Amino acid sequence: MGKHGHDHKNDHGNLKGRNLGIAILLNVGITVAQVVGGFISGSLALLSDALHNFSDVLALVISWFASKLAGRKQTARQTFGYKRAEILAALINAVSLIVIAFFLLKEAVERLGEPQEIQSGLVMILGGLSIVLNGASVLLVMKDAKNNINMRSAYLHLLSDMISSIAVVLGGFAMYMWEVSWVDSILSIAIALYLVYSSWGLIVESVRIIMQFAPIHINLEEVQQKVKLVKKVKNIHHVHVWQLDDKQVNFEAHVSFNEDLNLSEVNKVLHEIEHILHDDFEINHVTLQPEINGYCQDESLVKQEKPHSH
């Protein structure tokens, strides 16, 4: 990559880090204000929102650290660099949302049996503050969240917290108007269920990448059919396809030829296959091993390996 491209990448990484830093400071302020306000007002919804805000702080710190790690260059020991750091961060952040959700459910159900008097005015003021500051944080990370799973996990923390704050304000208004203290617990339960719903997809996606499953947008049978249409190719087997992170898709396979070709012809065919994989399947890192009349049982795409004897 040219120097200009490298500098642009660094600028983007620095901007992402700076936006995360600002969001961290905003959420520290929200957390402190809501903890104090929650104890004074007696609002479980406000305290649960504060807990969620504190989890935002931790999630953003994890995301910031992971983005720094992912930018490190590969070494002789870490040949892929630290690209998986952001996937691990996304998984940790998503799991933390599930844990928080179950804690909120437990507390809310217990509070339903013993409703407490709540200062709804303070609840609405602090909930409103949280909406404004979380909204600013959401805007800071929204652009990067579109194409980065780590930033998406941070964005999800912030967005769900903004929604929680909106629910807290609506609950405070209902308690002020009609003195229905149970609304506080009902809103906490609703927030918890939303957290579980919104986090699950992120957990599944990050686990799929860590377990090196084939990306869901790639149909291996379709790959096989398109590659076999290339002239002089007999079949493709010993296929492995996986994601290194949310951008790089790796593909490796054996390519069997119908005839014995010279090296320049082999390279030409392999380049043609690489273009098919890149253009049709968005695979951007390809390793192909050519062979003559390689055997592939039933020409299946993925050959079953025999276990090694010891």
Side-chain angles (χ1 to χ4, degrees):
M1 182 179 286
K3 190 177 187 303
H4 173 72
H6 179 70
D7 289 345
H8 175 75
K9 184 177 179 180
N10 280 344
D11 290 344
H12 178 72
N14 291 336
L15 181 62
K16 182 169 71 173
R18 185 162 68 245
N19 288 345
L20 280 171
I22 296 170
I24 288 168
L25 291 177
L26 290 174
N27 277 271
V28 168
I30 299 169
T31 302
V32 172
Q34 288 192 325
V35 166
V36 174
F39 279 114
I40 293 173
S41 67
S43 170
L44 176 63
L46 197 55
L47 283 172
S48 66
D49 207 29
L51 177 65
H52 190 185
N53 266 307
F54 180 67
S55 79
D56 287 348
V57 174
L58 296 180
L60 291 169
V61 168
I62 291 170
S63 291
W64 176 84
F65 183 65
S67 68
K68 292 292 183 185
L69 270 182
R72 288 189 181 183
K73 294 180 179 179
Q74 66 188 67
T75 67
R77 289 284 184 184
Q78 291 82 30
T79 57
F80 283 112
Y82 293 83
K83 292 183 182 295
R84 282 276 170 88
E86 292 199 284
I87 309 302
L88 285 171
L91 179 60
I92 291 168
N93 286 340
V95 169
S96 72
L97 281 170
I98 298 287
V99 172
I100 290 166
F102 280 106
F103 176 78
L104 294 184
L105 279 173
K106 176 179 175 294
E107 293 296 311
V109 170
E110 289 177 358
R111 179 68 73 90
L112 268 178
E114 297 178 9
Q116 299 180 17
E117 187 176 341
I118 292 165
Q119 297 181 28
S120 54
L122 186 58
V123 169
M124 286 189 285
I125 292 170
L126 291 176
L129 175 67
S130 181
I131 292 170
V132 172
L133 297 184
N134 266 309
S137 300
V138 165
L139 291 175
L140 281 170
V141 303
M142 183 168 59
K143 184 177 179 181
D144 290 312
K146 292 177 181 177
N147 53 19
N148 183 281
I149 191 172
N150 176 34
M151 293 298 289
R152 194 151 69 249
S153 71
Y155 172 79
L156 183 57
H157 265 269
L158 294 167
L159 180 64
S160 60
D161 209 8
M162 187 177 74
I163 292 171
S164 299
S165 299
I166 292 171
V168 166
V169 171
L170 292 175
F173 179 75
M175 286 180 281
Y176 176 77
M177 293 295 294
W178 301 291
E179 296 183 357
V180 281
S181 56
W182 51 265
V183 170
D184 191 63
S185 295
I186 295 298
L187 286 173
S188 294
I189 292 171
I191 291 167
L193 294 175
Y194 172 77
L195 290 181
V196 173
Y197 169 77
S198 58
S199 307
W200 187 249
L202 203 58
I203 289 175
V204 171
E205 183 179 355
S206 53
V207 167
R208 285 185 63 88
I209 294 175
I210 290 170
M211 293 297 292
Q212 297 186 320
F213 293 165
I216 55 176
H217 73 276
I218 295 176
N219 184 323
L220 291 182
E221 293 302 322
E222 187 180 348
V223 170
Q224 182 188 39
Q225 294 304 318
K226 288 205 172 185
V227 171
K228 284 177 68 176
L229 292 176
V230 176
K231 288 183 179 179
K232 300 176 183 176
V233 171
K234 179 181 179 183
N235 61 51
I236 182 171
H237 55 278
H238 284 305
V239 171
H240 299 281
V241 56
W242 72 97
Q243 286 180 256
L244 182 59
D245 54 19
D246 50 4
K247 294 184 182 68
Q248 182 172 320
V249 180
N250 288 22
F251 182 97
E252 64 180 28
H254 292 203
V255 179
S256 295
F257 290 86
N258 289 318
E259 54 187 286
D260 195 0
L261 305 174
N262 61 46
L263 190 56
S264 62
E265 288 179 296
V266 169
N267 280 339
K268 185 178 178 181
V269 174
L270 294 184
H271 282 310
E272 185 177 347
I273 294 172
E274 286 176 11
H275 281 297
I276 290 171
L277 294 173
H278 180 273
D279 297 343
D280 295 352
F281 301 98
E282 300 178 4
I283 296 171
N284 46 28
H285 194 278
V286 178
T287 304
L288 299 172
Q289 178 177 318
E291 56 190 33
I292 178 69
N293 287 324
Y295 175 70
C296 181
Q297 186 176 11
D298 298 327
E299 293 192 350
S300 63
L301 195 58
V302 183
K303 184 176 179 181
Q304 296 295 322
E305 303 283 358
K306 292 182 179 179
H308 296 290
S309 57
H310 297 283

